[in-house]
Amino acid sequence: MNDFSELEAELKKISPVATSPDLVTRIERGMERAEAATQSAGVARRSRFQINWLPLGLGLAAATAFLLLARVNVDRTPNALKMTAAASPA
């Protein structure tokens, strides 16, 4: 535990160095520059989201065709099975 207390004592003695006035003025001048004047470093702007209409239209057409065919099959009434006797009663 002595190692940590010695390390803490050394860290408490350390203090940051004051910044130079020249650095502060250079930062201020850099911040005053217009944002448009800075270069984009080659980063491309993302394109807007665009809807691809062909797959959407084909999907809707397929869904419509499926529903129409399913509806046609549902509307049919099943024919009543006609039972005929193989042998007539005597």
Side-chain angles (χ1 to χ4, degrees):
M1 283 226 216
N2 267 345
D3 294 335
F4 291 121
S5 61
E6 290 173 7
L7 182 62
E8 285 181 16
E10 287 180 26
L11 287 175
K12 286 181 183 178
K13 292 178 186 175
I14 298 174
S15 63
V17 178
T19 59
S20 67
D22 182 43
L23 176 65
V24 175
T25 56
R26 284 187 301 171
I27 292 174
E28 286 176 355
R29 271 190 259 139
M31 291 176 68
E32 287 174 358
R33 259 192 282 164
E35 191 172 311
T38 59
Q39 295 180 0
S40 65
V43 177
R45 186 175 164 208
R46 292 183 75 183
S47 62
R48 280 186 60 212
F49 176 73
Q50 295 178 356
I51 296 175
N52 195 353
W53 292 102
L54 181 64
L56 181 65
L58 290 175
L60 288 174
T64 304
F66 175 75
L67 290 175
L68 285 174
L69 292 174
R71 180 70 180 159
V72 168
N73 288 338
V74 170
D75 286 344
R76 290 186 190 167
T77 56
N79 294 336
L81 294 177
K82 296 181 183 178
M83 294 280 200
T84 56
S88 57

